[in-house]
Amino acid sequence: MLYSNKTMKRWISGLGGLFIHVSILADTPHNILFILADDLGWNDLGCMGSNFYETPNIDNLAANGIKFTNAYSTCQVSSPSRASIMTGKYTPRHGITDWIGEKSGEEWRKMKRYSKLLPADYLRNLPSNEYTVAECLRDNGYVTFFAGKWHLGEEGSWPENHGFMINKGGWSAGGPRGGYFSPYDNPMLEDGPDGENLSKRLAMETVSFMRDHMNLNPDKPFLAFLSFYAVHGPIQTTQENWSYFRNKADSLGIGEQGFKIDRTLPVRQCQDNPVYAGLIKQMDDAVGVVWNEVKRLGLDKNTLIIFTSDNGGVTSGDSYSTSLLPLRGGKGHQWEGGIRVPLLMYYPDGKAGTVCDKPVIGTDFYPTILDFAGLSMYPEQHKDGISIFPVLDGTSNAKRSLFWHYPHYGNQGGEPSSIIRKDDWKLIYYYEDGRCELYNLAMDISESEVLNSRFPDKVEELEKQLMEWLNEVEAKKPIIDSCYDFEKEIAVKDFWHTTMLRTQEKNRKDMLSKSWKPNENWWGSSASVD
């Protein structure tokens, strides 16, 4: 039964004793709008502390809803965390532990990284026996819509195979194959006029769905899942956006050095990339299109909106786009920069401007959505998640630990590892040598001081709990490569620490020069004809 005969009411406590009253009429459809950014970092938004990137529309959504400061993805790369959103399960349970397409096992040697371990194998398609949140909502009367990046398998494992009735742009590719301006080279999205912006197009597809739905099925609830390809590389923007943010970087002061080595690859130390800033602006403009239409259609009175990212921002590797300081690392890394993400929630009658510092994770979205919809839970499916609403109002007394498992090498310099966070304590276990790193995030959000020697009992406690969890979920582990060559690995890392560092410093300076130009038509954006 989709709705009860009584008015749904919930008291949700905010900070400082504030209370949020959610009151939704029982005969009103409880709609869901899920907006997922790709590779957007924890502080890549104005509302999360950036003074370089400009995100007025997303900031407005935050001002009208709840901002979470301790929100996490379930993995430091995309496919695993996306699968967790769909299933409510940690990555070892659904089997996708790396981005789909990356090599594993002996195939890893073809990458010529000469690393000590062979990464564990993983599933290349979202299993058909997983009962996704989209399937659950569809089976309970929802009309389900998907637009944008999918990256959860080959044909046969696309959105329409996992509960979405309409699919605009979701297929195998993990990035914008044709770039951010039409033509898109996407078999599930018709090209627009040359130079049309991809983020804006996906927003308009979502808006068109909502308009049509309100005309055709106003009494039925919907799930609209807007999954931007932005801000995944290759990063692209218009000449106008680049010029604006280049000048802004200049006015803020361009530092002489923009990168430093953190164990493996060079890591960006400042938010001053004008192309990335422009790409963020394009996504923010698109969010504004959708958010404004939600209000125009009156859907803000009965819709839960969730905005988040699939993993941390790219501070090294890929396009070396951003800096997440004071967080350490970024996408692909085991540190906070790789797994801590922005999260905003809006729902009817919510207390505007609430901030929540309680830890939540990507497995929590499935039960949260069911809770809002007034549907029964499926605890055997979303077994690793809990509804966020009791977390907010303090009625959830679960002192749970959070877990991560990434038995792979990240393109961005991350190392095969597993992680546990319990309260403010975080322990990282490394598979190359079995060592642990203990941090206290309340005292040291930058993970700069390893506390093993000061708190050996805590190391023992958390490592034991982590190992028990890994056994419970039957996590696959990397293995020693019998062909490992220490000298070759050292040569690769020396290249990263010298030539790669110089290359990235040069690229940064070139992109900030007044005469910089990527090509003749700015990635096709100047081909647009109004």
Side-chain angles (χ1 to χ4, degrees):
M1 183 174 181
L2 194 57
Y3 308 116
S4 66
N5 293 320
K6 299 180 180 180
T7 300
M8 288 182 59
K9 293 184 178 181
R10 180 181 289 111
W11 288 93
I12 299 177
S13 62
L15 293 182
L18 297 177
F19 288 90
I20 306 163
H21 181 207
V22 177
S23 177
I24 308 171
L25 294 179
D27 58 354
T28 301
H30 303 166
N31 304 311
I32 314 295
L33 171 60
F34 199 113
I35 305 176
L36 183 62
D38 191 7
D39 293 356
L40 184 72
W42 178 68
N43 55 3
D44 280 348
L45 303 173
C47 62
M48 294 299 294
S50 177
N51 65 353
F52 182 60
Y53 310 132
E54 297 183 9
T55 53
N57 295 296
I58 299 172
D59 296 349
N60 184 260
L61 180 61
N64 282 274
I66 297 175
K67 179 174 71 174
F68 294 79
T69 59
N70 271 280
Y72 289 96
S73 62
T74 61
C75 189
Q76 48 266 63
V77 295
S78 62
S79 298
S81 66
R82 290 166 180 269
S84 292
I85 291 171
M86 290 294 160
T87 66
K89 291 179 179 177
Y90 280 127
T91 60
R93 290 199 202 270
H94 58 62
I96 302 174
T97 56
D98 205 356
W99 61 273
I100 294 176
E102 182 59 295
K103 299 184 185 302
S104 61
E106 294 186 358
E107 284 288 301
W108 175 249
R109 293 173 185 149
K110 295 180 180 179
M111 300 299 292
K112 297 183 178 180
R113 293 271 294 272
Y114 305 108
S115 48
K116 187 175 183 179
L117 303 178
L118 295 177
D121 198 12
Y122 64 95
L123 295 184
R124 266 70 173 178
N125 293 287
L126 183 64
S128 59
N129 62 350
E130 294 287 356
Y131 191 50
T132 69
V133 65
E135 290 173 304
C136 182
L137 291 177
R138 179 201 62 193
D139 293 347
N140 281 276
Y142 275 69
V143 178
T144 55
F145 167 89
F146 186 92
K149 173 174 172 173
W150 179 246
H151 202 197
L152 286 175
E154 297 300 320
E155 190 169 2
S157 186
W158 287 357
E160 58 268 35
N161 307 114
H162 292 284
F164 289 98
M165 300 159 68
I166 304 168
N167 173 23
K168 299 289 185 177
W171 66 303
S172 308
R177 186 67 60 85
Y180 283 101
F181 301 96
S182 184
Y184 302 122
D185 191 19
N186 184 324
M188 298 305 295
L189 188 68
E190 292 183 7
D191 290 333
D194 286 353
E196 178 187 63
N197 178 264
L198 178 58
S199 297
K200 177 73 171 296
R201 169 64 179 279
L202 295 175
M204 291 308 301
E205 293 285 357
T206 305
V207 163
S208 294
F209 163 75
M210 293 191 298
R211 289 172 180 167
D212 291 345
H213 181 86
M214 293 300 290
N215 287 331
L216 299 173
N217 303 294
D219 297 325
K220 294 191 70 174
F222 67 77
L223 164 66
F225 200 109
L226 172 54
S227 179
F228 287 113
Y229 282 94
V231 289
H232 192 285
I235 59 172
Q236 298 174 352
T237 193
T238 64
Q239 184 175 12
E240 180 182 12
N241 283 341
W242 166 81
S243 180
Y244 174 85
F245 286 105
R246 195 225 71 86
N247 292 338
K248 183 173 183 178
D250 196 26
S251 67
L252 292 173
I254 298 174
E256 184 61 30
Q257 184 174 354
F259 291 86
K260 78 170 188 178
I261 301 296
D262 190 350
R263 197 177 291 175
T264 51
L265 291 174
V267 177
R268 197 177 191 101
Q269 299 297 295
C270 46
Q271 292 186 347
D272 61 1
N273 186 326
V275 175
Y276 185 67
L279 182 57
I280 288 178
K281 180 184 183 301
Q282 289 158 199
M283 182 185 67
D284 181 75
D285 290 343
V287 171
V289 168
V290 178
W291 174 230
N292 289 334
E293 188 67 10
V294 164
K295 291 182 286 186
R296 191 188 73 82
L297 293 172
L299 294 171
D300 54 325
K301 299 177 177 62
N302 62 328
T303 301
L304 168 67
I305 303 175
I306 297 171
F307 175 93
T308 191
S309 178
D310 61 351
N311 48 248
V314 181
T315 61
S316 60
D318 300 346
S319 298
Y320 290 85
S321 306
T322 191
S323 171
L324 303 178
L325 296 176
L327 300 188
R328 185 178 181 183
K331 177 185 178 180
H333 287 99
Q334 59 277 6
W335 299 303
E336 289 294 283
I339 54 177
R340 195 181 291 209
V341 292
L343 171 61
L344 311 173
M345 278 178 53
Y346 168 89
Y347 47 88
D349 300 328
K351 179 66 175 179
T354 300
V355 178
C356 177
D357 62 359
K358 297 178 181 178
V360 295
I361 195 166
T363 55
D364 295 336
F365 295 128
Y366 196 140
T368 299
I369 288 169
L370 297 188
D371 195 359
F372 179 82
L375 299 175
S376 298
M377 294 291 167
Y378 288 81
E380 286 306 306
Q381 174 59 54
H382 50 76
K383 60 176 57 180
D384 295 315
I386 61 173
S387 173
I388 293 173
F389 290 116
V391 174
L392 287 167
D393 67 15
T395 60
S396 172
N397 296 318
K399 298 287 288 184
R400 60 175 178 161
S401 299
L402 303 181
F403 298 94
W404 295 263
H405 179 59
Y406 188 63
H408 310 279
Y409 291 95
N411 290 341
Q412 304 78 18
E415 301 155 82
S417 58
S418 295
I419 307 167
I420 178 173
R421 172 172 174 169
K422 184 176 183 181
D423 300 323
D424 292 324
W425 295 100
K426 176 180 176 181
L427 183 96
I428 306 172
Y429 175 86
Y430 291 91
Y431 286 98
E432 282 197 340
D433 54 12
R435 78 186 189 281
C436 294
E437 291 175 351
L438 178 70
Y439 300 102
N440 187 286
L441 299 175
M443 298 188 299
D444 178 25
I445 196 174
S446 300
E447 296 169 282
S448 60
E449 183 183 4
V450 178
L451 300 174
N452 295 39
S453 61
R454 291 176 57 188
F455 300 96
D457 291 345
K458 183 61 67 174
V459 173
E460 182 179 357
E461 171 198 339
L462 295 182
E463 183 177 4
K464 181 176 183 292
Q465 186 178 349
L466 177 59
M467 294 305 157
E468 289 173 348
W469 175 78
L470 291 169
N471 288 333
E472 175 195 342
V473 299
E474 300 179 344
K476 294 181 179 180
K477 313 285 180 61
I479 62 173
I480 295 290
D481 186 357
S482 60
C483 298
Y484 172 62
D485 189 318
F486 175 76
E487 296 298 329
K488 288 184 177 179
E489 184 186 29
I490 290 298
V492 169
K493 290 185 176 180
D494 182 64
F495 172 80
W496 291 344
H497 296 177
T498 56
T499 304
M500 184 65 74
L501 179 61
R502 289 194 298 269
T503 298
Q504 294 309 319
E505 290 287 8
K506 181 180 184 302
N507 289 345
R508 170 177 170 266
K509 287 293 183 66
D510 287 348
M511 198 176 288
L512 287 164
S513 71
K514 292 182 179 180
S515 60
W516 185 78
K517 192 174 184 181
N519 58 21
E520 289 303 312
N521 66 358
W522 283 83
W523 297 295
S525 65
S526 61
S528 180
V529 177
D530 293 331

